[in-house]
Amino acid sequence: MKPAPKPGILDIQPYVGGRSHAGGAKAPIKLSSNESALGPSPSAIAAYREAAGRLEFYPEGSAHILRHAIAETFGLDPARIVCGNGSDELLTLLAHGYLRPGDEVLYNRHAFLVYRIATLANNAVPVEVPEKNLTVDVDAMLAHVTAKTRLVYLANPNNPTGSYLPHDEVRRLHAGLSPDTLLVIDAAFAEYVRRNDYEAGIELVANNANVVMTRTFSKVHGLAGLRAGWAYCPAQVADVLNRIRGPFNVSAPAQLAAAAALKDTAHVEACVAHNETWRNRLTQSIRKLGLRVDDSVGNFVLIHFASKAEAAGADAFLCEHGLILPGMLAYGLPDCLRLTVGTETANRKVVEALAQFTARK
Ligand SMILES: *Cc1c(COP(=O)(O)O)cnc(C)c1O
């Protein structure tokens, strides 16, 4: 006899983050985890340094300062905001709070791996729905809804494909769900999207008891190392999350740095502008090399190669040149590498290395 984990847990493949080393390269350039090319706001760094002088104290448990900074920025009710140790924690806590064994959880075929982990950890059933052109297909999602569907995860924009659903389509998805099914809109890349028909989900949360939107400080705010995210929730969902989260789940430095980052709107705008310029240039330059690159609204692009072997060859070649791009095997896209938009220097190096790789054959 020995301790046995709950059913479902040993079916989980542990999440493997983007690599940070490239063979022997001395100072590899990491373009593997959709981190910010320009880093955090200087005022976020200053707030973090200041917090270093008070590390003996517990953080304020409800993340009051951060929730109020978010509420002010977005015009929301602070009581309906819950902060997390990254939005991953909130995506996971929603599953812990709402899933019973055998419940079904819907998400698209090439979705963020955390959804599957959170589902299996609760002995619930992942239902991975086919996409159309690597974009969430609302008709297919609705066709897979059953009486057992309790939770739907929608990354909008989606990682790793870079595609997004216009607001009308998100509304149509929501309209097809039972009121006791939770729609979780993971808007980790919302700040990067400049499309008139896109909305992160605030209005849907405001008007419905079964929609939650999650956001993160890891992407445009450049604070992935600190771990801070937030959810805007119906009051009853916020209550559930507040009962099951760790009492001090967001560290004091993370709360203070994230609140400072939000206020530096000029930095956010500069990051979005840099991303827009370089994502478009990268897309065009890599397409000119004869490779398929999907349109992306995020801070990354998906590059397609002729085969899994070609993608692996490109990965090895890029690594030799000190460039780390992750393969997409775990996402069911074995022919692809995902490229995070980097600094100007990094972006130029990637295009140059890919040009050499494609010319070799
Ligand atoms: C990066 C990312 C997140 C954010 O995770 P954090 O835990 O907040 O760092 C959430 N969802 C998707 C789809 C992501 O790519």
Side-chain angles (χ1 to χ4, degrees), residues 76 99 216 232 273 351 358:
L76 307 177
L99 294 179
T216 183
Y232 179 46
V351 173
T358 49

Side-chain angles (χ1 to χ4, degrees), residues 61-346:
S62 81
H64 184 274
I65 289 176
L66 180 53
R67 284 187 302 107
H68 282 258
I70 295 165
E72 198 176 305
T73 303
F74 294 94
L76 307 177
D77 174 3
R80 291 173 59 180
I81 297 167
V82 180
C83 294
N85 185 40
S87 55
D88 284 353
E89 185 192 26
L90 299 162
L91 295 165
T92 302
L93 285 177
L94 287 162
H96 291 338
Y98 285 92
L99 294 179
R100 294 166 184 82
D103 283 349
E104 292 176 3
V105 178
L106 290 195
Y107 50 86
N108 55 305
R109 172 74 185 86
H110 303 295
F112 194 39
L113 299 173
V114 166
Y115 310 155
R116 182 179 172 82
I117 296 173
T119 301
L120 290 172
N122 290 285
N123 200 14
V125 181
V127 179
E128 300 185 350
V129 180
E131 296 159 355
K132 219 189 241 167
N133 304 323
L134 293 183
T135 304
V136 172
D137 177 349
V138 171
D139 291 317
M141 294 284 275
L142 292 176
H144 283 77
V145 169
T146 73
K148 289 186 180 169
T149 308
R150 284 284 71 77
L151 206 157
V152 177
Y153 285 113
L154 176 72
N156 198 28
N158 190 51
N159 172 21
T161 59
S163 59
Y164 78 105
L165 276 191
H167 188 52
D168 284 352
E169 283 289 278
V170 181
R171 266 209 295 255
R172 194 161 73 81
L173 173 62
H174 173 257
L177 301 176
S178 160
D180 65 349
T181 298
L182 200 58
L183 173 62
V184 178
I185 303 173
D186 171 357
F189 300 95
E191 293 86 351
Y192 289 115
V193 188
R194 286 182 168 176
R195 300 288 176 104
N196 293 331
D197 58 356
Y198 174 81
E199 278 179 38
I202 286 175
E203 183 215 306
L204 267 176
V205 179
N207 297 323
N208 295 283
N210 67 335
V211 185
V212 174
M213 173 193 70
T214 60
R215 302 285 287 263
T216 183
F217 288 94
S218 301
K219 302 287 156 64
V220 82
H221 293 293
L223 294 172
L226 265 189
R227 315 304 302 127
W230 56 282
Y232 179 46
C233 314
Q236 285 170 348
V237 177
D239 178 51
V240 167
L241 292 176
N242 281 324
R243 286 169 196 260
I244 61 175
R245 67 178 174 80
F248 306 104
N249 61 330
V250 188
S251 74
Q255 291 185 29
L256 295 169
L262 262 187
K263 296 196 172 116
D264 191 349
T265 51
H267 183 72
V268 173
E269 276 164 32
C271 291
V272 173
H274 172 90
N275 187 64
E276 183 92 357
T277 303
W278 281 101
R279 186 190 58 218
N280 295 343
R281 284 186 195 167
L282 284 166
T283 302
Q284 283 159 17
S285 309
I286 299 170
R287 280 179 184 161
K288 274 194 198 136
L289 301 175
L291 297 168
R292 172 179 155 196
V293 181
D294 296 314
D295 286 330
S296 167
V297 295
N299 67 334
F300 55 90
V301 293
L302 195 62
I303 308 171
H304 296 252
F305 294 85
S307 65
K308 180 177 166 182
E310 273 288 300
D315 184 14
F317 187 85
L318 291 166
C319 265
E320 276 167 36
H321 291 74
L323 296 161
I324 308 173
L325 278 64
M328 293 281 109
L329 208 58
Y331 284 95
L333 293 162
D335 304 350
C336 296
L337 298 179
R338 191 188 60 203
L339 167 65
T340 303
V341 174
T343 60
E344 172 166 354
T345 311

